[in-house]
Amino acid sequence: MTTHLPTADAQDPESSARTSRLRAALLAAAFTADGLLDLLGAPAYAALARSETVPALRATRGGGPLETLVRLFLLQRPVPEARAAAVLPVADCLADGWLVRDGDELRATVDVRPYAGPDGQDWWIVSDLGCAVGGAGGIQGAAGVDRSQLVLGVGGASTTLAGITARRPVARALDLGTGSGVQALHAAQHATRVTATDLNPRALRIAALTLALSGAGPAELREGSLFEPVGEETYDLIVSNPPFVISPGARLTYRDGGMGGDDLCRTLVQQAAAHLSDGGYCQLLANWQHVAGEDWQDRLRSWVPRGCDAWIVQREVQDITQYAELWLRDGGDHRAAPEEYAARYDAWLDEFEARGTKAVGFGWITLRKSGAENPSITLEEWPHPVEQPLGDAVLGHFARQDYLRATDDAALLAARFKLAGEVVQEQVGLPGAEDPEHVVLRQSRGMRRATKVDTVGAGFAGVCDGSLPAGRILDAIAQLVGEDPVLLRDRTPASIRTLVEQGFLEPVD
Ligand SMILES: C[S@@+](CC[C@H](N)C(=O)[O-])C[C@H]1O[C@@H](n2cnc3c(N)ncnc32)[C@H](O)[C@@H]1O
């Protein structure tokens, strides 16, 4: 049986009214993230997020309204028409193709998954059946859909990007490679106009369904590769969770960019500058090759376009075997015949060998179009847990870079600083020892950074309450520890800069 996508059309008032009635029915039955958690309980809810349906099937045997919706839209089970009619405007759903008849029963044509917005909004993400979580390997039921064109729901990468995106009000936002439309949906909350592009026309139709069902304004949907569909247009915010997987061939549009190695991510970064308005941000997730004889930081630095500041965080590095296995499983190749699996694995390793690739880095890239002659380019490895959302931390990073760029050492010593609210001090040393071996300042929020400081650094940070200039504090410390104040003033600005750069100290003015 071939599955067609729903035809709901936000431009057509009648179809739009039908979508509103469907949304009202979903809400009335508590088909929301909270409602699901209540119905399924934490273990079955978490299992569903891992693509495991058995616990949720057991929890929805009762046939109540919410159970019916879970079975239809999340578990791809047909339900008797009378039961569907008790909870949904069935005629509307049939008219727009959300449901189709299957013998005496009705079944859904797409996965519709409750998704909580950042301010508690009840949203729904539409995707292909069986593709709401995980990759194409988990697919069970999208009969008639060309596998290469499958549209996935929200995965870990989607929520990571949504979390790190700077959410300031902007005029124009671009979601490049929109897929289910999740990033466009977030952007619609703080951008006056949202453009969403995708190479896959099915994705654009599905993104339109996500936006309409979630009650967001429509986005301008444009089909095409990378920046091709937007011509010369510029944006205040560009977000992209692109098909970053480095693979031996383009088989799955949602993940394989179809360009060699990490060329798709590089092209995206290099071309972004021409599509950013002044002060605009481009935020994307990317994978990059670690090539023998080359520092990954040099590789990434060479990607950053002129006129842009950049903050690049490498979150994880996988060796090529782990990487190949991850994506072989994602595509379901581990279920193929052993020889076929081995041939695919071999092809992956051949590709890496040909490119001299030893490992693959995964991380976040943020560009800001500053036009600065000496752009600030920060590359770092930070594999530790962070506290999302980090959108404000991203804005804070660039604001601090601006401050440090404009403040020489004399001005730094004349400035006053405050210790950031969420910083604690840890002392590390042998039990019973009078003095610690070293002191660590640790943030309990945001990037959750930790940095080693000496006793002067710890004393300085502890006294920073915004009332005294940094130089005066150093003079007092010098007296206390019997050090020459001139020397101390001379050697400390570098450490103050690090503490400011990493967000431990905030300039007061
Ligand atoms: C990893 S999915 C991301 C989907 C969604 N934005 C999210 O965050 O969950 C990548 C998307 O990029 C699209 N895509 C693939 N190649 C592309 C290209 N050359 N240009 C634009 N989009 C592309 C895929 O169809 C897919 O929808």
Side-chain angles (χ1 to χ4, degrees), residues 178-207:
T178 192
S180 67
V182 59
Q183 310 300 339
L185 178 58
H186 278 277
Q189 313 306 306
H190 60 105
T192 313
R193 277 174 68 190
V194 178
T195 303
T197 68
D198 208 288
L199 186 63
N200 180 358
R202 282 176 63 73
L204 295 175
R205 292 178 56 196
I206 285 186

Side-chain angles (χ1 to χ4, degrees), residues 414-505:
R416 291 173 297 134
F417 298 94
K418 231 173 53 187
L419 189 65
E422 69 283 5
V423 175
V424 294
Q425 173 178 307
E426 291 169 3
Q427 310 209 6
V428 181
L430 284 175
E434 211 167 283
D435 292 318
E437 268 168 39
H438 60 260
V439 175
V440 172
L441 299 183
R442 188 181 293 281
Q443 300 164 350
S444 51
R445 316 281 315 264
M447 289 293 283
R448 292 190 168 146
R449 292 185 188 283
T451 190
K452 235 159 116 173
V453 285
D454 58 14
T455 39
V456 171
F460 178 82
V463 178
C464 278
D465 62 0
S467 58
L468 284 176
R472 293 264 304 279
I473 298 177
L474 289 180
D475 294 344
I477 293 177
Q479 210 171 31
L480 219 62
V481 298
E483 194 174 333
D484 179 346
V486 177
L487 288 182
L488 195 61
R489 274 179 176 253
D490 216 34
R491 73 171 169 91
T492 314
S495 328
I496 300 180
R497 281 185 189 279
T498 305
L499 291 176
V500 172
E501 181 172 24
Q502 298 196 346
F504 289 95
L505 292 179

